[in-house]
Amino acid sequence: MPVAELAFAPGIDAYEPSHRGEPILEVRNLAVAVDDGLAVENVDLSLEAGRTHCLVGESGCGKSLTCLALMGLLPPGARGVSGNLRMKGRSGAIPEKGPPEGLAMIYQDATASLDPLMTVGRQIVEALPADVPRRARRAEAEDLIAQVGIPHARARFESYPHELSGGMNQRIAIAIALAARPSVLLADEPTTALDVTVQARILDLMLEFQQSTGLAILFVTHDLGVVAQIAHDVSVMYCGEIVESGPVTDLFAAPRHPYSRGLVECLPRLSRQTERLESIAGIVPPLQARPTGCRFASRCTRADDLCSTQRPCLERRGNTGAVACFNPL
Amino acid sequence: MLQSPLNRRPGGLPLLHAENLTRIYPPPRRGLLRRGVGVHAVAGVSFEIHAGEALGLVGESGSGKTTIGRMVSATLLPTSGTVSLDGATFTNPMPLRRRARVQAVFQDSLGALNPRIRIGRQIEEPMIIHGFDRDARAGRIASLMADVGLPHSILARFPGEVSGGQRQRVLIARALVLKPEVLVCDEPVSALDVSVQAQVINLLAELRSQHRLTILFISHDLRVVRHLCDRVAVLYCGRIVEIGPIASVIDTPSHPYTRALIDALPPDQPGQRRVPSGRSSDAGTDASTGAGCAFASRCLQVEKLCLESAPALRPLRPGHASACHFAGTL
């Protein structure tokens, strides 16, 4: 990838391919089974230090389930998970229970993800690595509170989640995630429920941490605006599968999959006021009624006979990116 | 831009007029007799909407958007101030026929529908209350289903059985069933996925031009407001801090808060760097603050004057007003 294409990325110097190390986290063939079938299938992901990979798609496409599966936190409805995980050179099957070391996650509803009966300070202390001595733990937690931009850290240490706003709680959630000193952070729509002004500050905060620690971030969102702001790489998910994957500039400038194009086009923009917004006709087929061929075929304007009988696989196209489509744009 | 022929008739009377709207939520009890202090959710808000016009109302959570929407749709009484439609003030109770002229669509479509009543019956109910006969009801529902793009089969289903986008269309159909002139939309697309959000925004735009609807559109997303509205009012702590034509407000924001809202939006394309702005504290929700500008504690251009006296909403250009002491020099 040419350096120039990446140089714009907010606050992060360009990573040249030759300078880019091995991926920190590689996922191969992730599948999650639920009662009605496979909710997530054939998902490959690769995360690199200091880079943000965005996972985009509509509700029910399996974005959150992908994160939860990686964390070993499958919801009660899930039957099982399969796939391989390679992290810092070590590889193995995806663990069914408990997160692999070095992985931390923040959730959409921060207030609900915190324990209402415990002070936020104690919740941070709890997440610190075991080798931090007992005397230093409180000071370290207060440090983290200050680092995530909350004033009066000492006083806030004693606060309960209900005493703080949604934005503040999301900062606490970030502090908890960072307390374990992860090398990979999974963020499941952490700003969707927040005001735009608060969202902007939370995203800035995550970027600052990424710059100073080289954190790899997997960021799940359905807001293409957020993708444009923070992503280096993007994977577009539809019906449990990744349909397009590549650098963020390619997705916005020249999306290859008709679904990706639809997503980019239907974003309302401040700089442009058109008579009509583009929209993708139809709805996402439910899990029980997924078509045998391409899962997007019934909503696609480019679909032909092949699309309704055969499933396209994710294939490399050109130098960058991959797309799962028989008739790519 | 979606312009209706009736928009901004020079000298014409506005269809809807909100004057000096104030709403104080009663304080919680503290102990047996003592009461806490009430929250001024909305303080002295005035605006007009002409027939066929769409006014956007933007602001952060807690700024009083929903409270204004509920007062305008006559589901909440103002503590003081009035809302009037065609010169006639809202009263409590309100005559049925006048109530039918203002209808509302809410964000939480699952919460706004009764989960145990079939969708068809819920759309029909307002017409039963207003005394339409059976044939008229069936005919109206059939034409509405076509208008909002729903299959007839959905009428026999329960709200929990259909998708979020379809439920939002059901809410729009139910709001339109009595042929209202004014539609209050409270964050109607915020809970929807982008592709469905685009469908519903397009639907609202179509319905607006087809039925010459007058719309009060409440949203926290300026991008959506830009697509649908002619004018926009920016709300902070229960007061309007800026109001004007949408293009004018977005291109030349004249209040530091409006600028902060615009700067906080994610970019349209990768590589358009957003500039961080504003101080990092959360928005207040109570308009009963002491002297000075309510935004002063978050404002980057704050001066001595801002802490001493609260700025009034003053016109800058025709139709564009701002409540900032330094609006002209921003």
Side-chain angles (χ1 to χ4, degrees):
Chain A
M1 188 185 319
V3 180
E5 270 182 48
L6 276 170
F8 59 81
I12 290 166
D13 294 331
Y15 278 74
E16 274 186 79
S18 55
H19 295 168
R20 269 157 67 176
E22 284 278 289
I24 287 197
L25 176 83
E26 262 189 299
V27 180
R28 290 279 165 268
N29 280 324
L30 174 73
V32 180
V34 294
D35 284 341
D36 293 319
L38 290 175
V40 173
E41 254 181 285
N42 298 327
V43 165
D44 290 356
L45 287 169
S46 119
L47 305 182
E48 287 165 51
R51 288 172 70 86
T52 304
H53 192 118
C54 275
L55 199 55
V56 215
E58 291 172 274
S59 341
C61 71
K63 319 182 287 282
S64 295
L65 208 51
T66 301
C67 286
L68 291 173
L70 292 177
M71 288 295 285
L73 292 173
L74 284 178
R79 282 280 186 78
V81 55
S82 71
N84 285 302
L85 188 80
R86 215 163 80 100
M87 200 162 164
K88 295 184 199 156
R90 274 183 294 173
S91 59
I94 289 170
E96 291 224 8
K97 285 263 183 308
E101 212 188 309
L103 230 64
M105 181 162 169
I106 50 179
Y107 305 84
Q108 176 171 355
D109 187 350
T111 309
S113 76
L114 299 174
D115 186 336
L117 298 177
M118 213 194 256
T119 61
V120 295
R122 275 190 61 204
Q123 299 186 52
I124 300 172
V125 166
E126 205 175 42
L128 288 169
D131 60 8
V132 178
R134 221 157 103 205
R135 278 151 194 271
R137 291 178 87 85
R138 182 176 170 130
E140 191 146 327
E142 281 174 8
D143 247 21
L144 276 163
I145 296 177
Q147 276 178 49
V148 294
I150 299 178
H152 315 297
R154 182 154 291 182
R156 284 287 154 257
F157 185 94
E158 307 287 354
S159 298
Y160 287 90
H162 75 269
E163 296 173 315
L164 303 177
S165 66
M168 285 296 162
N169 277 332
Q170 195 57 273
R171 286 165 195 262
I172 294 290
I174 293 175
I176 293 173
L178 296 172
R181 296 170 195 155
S183 46
V184 177
L185 181 67
L186 309 181
D188 186 6
E189 310 223 21
T191 59
T192 306
L194 304 176
D195 277 317
V196 276
T197 46
V198 184
Q199 162 171 294
R201 295 203 294 267
I202 297 281
L203 293 180
D204 284 345
L205 178 71
M206 292 177 70
L207 286 182
E208 274 167 37
F209 271 105
Q210 188 172 50
Q211 281 172 64
S212 58
T213 62
L215 198 64
I217 300 179
L218 179 67
F219 196 101
V220 172
T221 179
H222 67 263
D223 187 339
L224 268 292
V226 172
V227 174
Q229 187 178 338
I230 62 164
H232 299 99
D233 306 295
V234 185
S235 289
V236 180
M237 245 181 136
Y238 186 74
C239 279
E241 290 179 317
I242 290 177
V243 295
E244 181 166 357
S245 167
V248 66
T249 31
D250 290 7
L251 180 79
F252 278 85
R256 311 294 307 273
H257 198 284
Y259 179 64
S260 318
R261 200 190 87 103
L263 280 185
V264 171
E265 290 295 319
C266 67
L267 180 73
R269 290 163 201 242
L270 203 59
S271 57
R272 172 185 82 168
Q273 192 180 32
T274 46
E275 194 67 33
R276 274 184 74 83
L277 286 168
E278 294 283 328
S279 65
I280 308 169
I283 54 165
V284 181
L287 190 55
Q288 309 89 327
R290 280 184 181 166
T292 44
C294 172
R295 286 168 175 175
F296 187 61
S298 61
R299 302 174 75 186
C300 185
T301 48
R302 301 168 70 85
D304 54 26
D305 291 345
L306 183 64
C307 302
S308 54
T309 51
Q310 296 264 332
R311 277 257 295 279
C313 305
L314 195 63
E315 278 171 51
R316 265 194 172 278
R317 304 267 167 167
N319 301 329
T320 55
V323 59
C325 181
F326 292 122
N327 306 306
L329 295 156
Chain B
M1 165 107 63
L2 297 148
Q3 290 279 7
S4 75
L6 276 173
N7 188 25
R8 279 194 286 280
R9 295 167 297 174
L13 278 175
L15 179 66
L16 189 113
H17 191 160
E19 201 173 354
N20 229 350
L21 279 183
T22 298
R23 173 72 203 185
I24 305 171
Y25 285 109
R29 282 192 183 281
R30 297 187 188 283
L32 192 62
L33 295 170
R34 274 188 313 137
R35 312 207 84 189
V37 190
V39 175
H40 290 61
V42 175
V45 164
S46 303
F47 57 85
E48 303 174 336
I49 315 179
H50 283 88
E53 192 184 33
L55 174 71
L57 206 53
V58 297
E60 289 167 287
S61 3
S63 59
K65 309 188 292 283
T66 296
T67 303
I68 291 178
R70 291 189 56 202
M71 290 190 284
V72 170
S73 59
T75 50
L76 182 77
L77 277 176
T79 307
S80 68
T82 55
V83 183
S84 52
L85 189 66
D86 260 347
T89 309
F90 282 15
T91 49
N92 182 40
M94 195 140 93
L96 265 189
R97 198 170 305 157
R98 194 172 328 143
R99 177 162 286 232
R101 294 173 68 184
V102 184
Q103 294 289 316
V105 178
F106 301 99
Q107 172 175 11
D108 177 10
S109 57
L110 203 54
L113 292 166
N114 187 326
R116 297 173 61 178
I117 298 180
R118 290 182 201 279
I119 286 168
R121 164 80 195 188
Q122 299 200 49
I123 297 178
E124 196 180 6
E125 199 165 12
M127 291 191 290
I128 300 175
I129 293 167
H130 284 259
F132 287 76
D133 66 36
R134 190 176 293 265
D135 290 345
R137 299 201 300 259
R140 178 79 185 122
I141 288 180
S143 79
L144 260 180
M145 288 290 107
D147 278 358
V148 301
L150 283 175
H152 221 264
S153 60
I154 208 166
L155 295 172
R157 322 259 300 260
F158 289 97
E161 296 176 325
V162 303
S163 71
Q166 285 180 320
R167 264 202 308 272
Q168 208 62 55
R169 287 168 195 261
V170 168
L171 277 192
I172 294 172
R174 187 177 66 174
L176 293 180
V177 77
L178 295 171
K179 302 194 176 165
E181 291 153 71
V182 180
L183 194 63
V184 176
C185 300
D186 189 357
E187 305 253 13
V189 296
S190 310
L192 303 175
D193 271 315
V194 270
S195 71
V196 185
Q197 173 179 308
Q199 291 170 9
V200 175
I201 293 173
N202 286 338
L203 172 67
L204 283 171
E206 268 164 32
L207 291 172
R208 185 187 156 202
S209 57
Q210 259 173 38
H211 303 290
R212 285 225 311 243
L213 281 172
T214 304
I215 296 181
L216 177 66
F217 190 86
I218 298 168
S219 177
H220 66 272
D221 193 338
L222 265 171
R223 296 174 293 183
V224 175
V225 169
R226 166 146 232 184
H227 267 275
L228 218 53
C229 298
D230 308 306
R231 287 193 304 140
V232 63
V234 181
L235 216 58
Y236 185 77
C237 268
R239 292 195 168 86
I240 292 179
V241 295
E242 184 166 2
I243 184 167
I246 184 78
S248 170
V249 170
I250 286 177
D251 297 337
T252 53
S254 303
H255 192 283
Y257 180 61
T258 313
R259 178 158 298 170
L261 273 186
I262 293 171
D263 288 345
L265 284 174
D268 291 342
Q269 292 286 330
Q272 296 169 352
R273 181 76 168 100
R274 205 180 46 70
V275 225
S277 78
R279 296 236 173 111
S280 56
S281 67
D282 284 6
T285 54
D286 194 347
S288 67
T289 42
C293 173
F295 188 61
S297 63
R298 295 173 78 190
C299 186
L300 292 177
Q301 285 119 314
V302 63
E303 307 255 349
K304 196 158 164 274
L305 178 63
C306 305
L307 302 172
E308 287 163 357
S309 79
L313 196 61
R314 277 183 302 243
L316 293 168
R317 290 180 276 283
H320 192 157
S322 158
C324 177
H325 289 304
F326 304 98
T329 57
L330 283 177

